[in-house]
Amino acid sequence: MKKKKGGNGHDAEVAAKDESGPEADPGEAGLAAVDQGPGKSTDEIEALRRDRDELREQLLRRRADFENYKKRMERDRGQAGFEAAASIFRELVTTVDNLERALQSGASPDALRTGVELTYRELLTFLESQGVIVHDPVGQPFDPQRHQALMHEVARGVPDRGR
């Protein structure tokens, strides 16, 4: 500790700043620098130290709570995605089962076609229940906001609008 003449004429004790490692406590240095002149008692300094320690503990708890919150949200987000995919696949299993039965039946081509048409309608119903809307773009100009191009092919009678 060094003695230093304060601006008000009183002597004040100032702690030498120790930057030797993580044990250095900047709060202690700040409290030690407090003018212990008239009106400042050791009880007041101890109360400030207790307040500082309490605030530090609150900060550490809040940090830990926030880290736990982030981890929980990430875990919940992953779980929600998994459950959404599982729900969709569960719905598709019946369609796959119907297709498998149709292939194994060895039925006549007409019966096979009827089964495939039923399965097709079942799949379309499921997709619509999931918010998928089927549009037939034949004869409409390509709109990149609504359509997805799978390939580019020149068609007779349709003007090529460039790429």
Side-chain angles (χ1 to χ4, degrees), residues 4 11 15 33 36 40 43 45 72 76 81 88 100 122 139 144 149:
K4 180 179 179 182
D11 286 339
Q36 292 184 3
K40 300 290 183 189
D43 290 341
I45 292 173
R72 187 172 55 248
D76 290 351
I88 289 172
E100 193 173 85
E122 180 181 324

Side-chain angles (χ1 to χ4, degrees), residues 92-102:
L92 288 175
V93 166
T94 58
T95 304
V96 171
D97 287 345
N98 288 338
L99 286 172
E100 193 173 85
R101 271 197 285 300

Side-chain angles (χ1 to χ4, degrees), residues 96-115:
V96 171
D97 287 345
N98 288 338
L99 286 172
E100 193 173 85
R101 271 197 285 300
L103 291 172
Q104 291 175 353
S105 72
S108 69
D110 289 336
L112 185 61
R113 180 173 177 81
T114 303

